[in-house]
Amino acid sequence: AQSYRNSRHTVHLINYHFVFIPKKRKPLLVSQVMRRLKYWLYQICTELDCDILALEVMPDHVHLFVNAVPTLSPMQIIHRVKGRSSFELRKEFPHLKKLSSLGQNRTFVRARATSAAKPFSVTLPISVAKATRVGCISPLKMGSSSLPEQLTI
C-alpha cells in the first residue's frame, strides 16, 4: 500500500498513469536507447519531485506510473518528461536526429488512487487508440453517438 506524501500545507496521494509513443509508433525504443530513456525518465522525475511507481518501456510505447506533487498538472509533468528526454536522446543518438520529431503530440493519462496489480492493462476506446497512433482521428468527429468498441493495450 502506498503512503500519503506530506508537504508544508498539504497531505496528498496523486498518481498518474501516462502512455506515450514515438512518432508514427516506430519501434525506436530498443537496446541502448531504451536504457538511456529509462535513465532520463528517472532523472527528470526526480528533478520534478515525482516518484516513479512503475515504468515499462516497449519498442513502440512507454507506460509511466508516477506519484506526483499537487503543484504540477499532468500536462506539465508529461511535457517536461517527453521534451527533455527527447532532447537528451537526440543528443546521444545521431540516428534519432533524422526524425522531424521523436514523439507524438498526444498522450494518454489517467489519475489513479493506487497502483493496481496490473498497472499497465489499459482499456481505451478504439477511436482514442487510433488517434494516439495516427494523430488525426478525433472521437468527436467520428459522428458516432454510441460508445466505440474497446481495445486493450
Side-chain angles (χ1 to χ4, degrees):
Q2 294 177 12
S3 60
Y4 288 87
R5 291 174 71 176
N6 297 309
S7 63
R8 189 169 178 185
H9 298 288
T10 64
V11 176
H12 55 275
L13 178 61
I14 303 170
N15 296 333
Y16 297 115
H17 177 194
F18 297 101
V19 181
F20 55 97
I21 62 173
K23 191 75 167 185
K24 297 182 183 175
R25 205 166 174 118
K26 289 185 180 179
L28 301 172
L29 308 174
V30 293
S31 65
Q32 191 63 21
V33 175
M34 179 188 295
R35 284 190 281 284
R36 293 303 290 167
L37 176 61
K38 288 180 181 180
Y39 168 80
W40 284 112
L41 292 176
Y42 277 99
Q43 285 291 113
I44 297 161
C45 286
T46 301
E47 292 169 8
L48 294 173
D49 196 24
C50 294
D51 298 328
I52 294 181
L53 303 175
L55 173 64
E56 186 175 350
V57 179
M58 304 301 287
D60 65 344
H61 68 281
V62 177
H63 288 271
L64 177 64
F65 191 65
V66 297
N67 177 263
V69 294
T71 55
L72 292 173
S73 73
M75 288 301 98
Q76 288 173 314
I77 295 168
I78 201 64
H79 176 74
R80 299 270 290 279
V81 165
K82 287 173 62 176
R84 172 105 181 273
S85 62
S86 173
F87 176 79
E88 298 294 348
L89 288 175
R90 289 165 76 111
K91 269 196 327 191
E92 293 180 37
F93 300 100
H95 70 279
L96 297 177
K97 288 183 182 179
K98 296 175 186 173
L99 303 171
S100 61
S101 170
L102 191 55
Q104 290 277 55
N105 290 334
R106 297 177 188 257
T107 300
F108 171 80
V109 61
R110 75 173 165 184
R112 300 204 37 193
T114 59
S115 63
K118 291 184 177 180
F120 302 130
S121 178
V122 180
T123 302
L124 296 175
I126 285 183
S127 59
V128 174
K130 285 182 182 176
T132 303
R133 289 189 185 115
V134 179
C136 62
I137 298 173
S138 169
L140 299 176
K141 292 180 182 177
M142 293 181 67
S144 173
S145 58
S146 62
L147 291 175
E149 299 174 40
Q150 298 293 310
L151 171 70
T152 301
I153 52 176

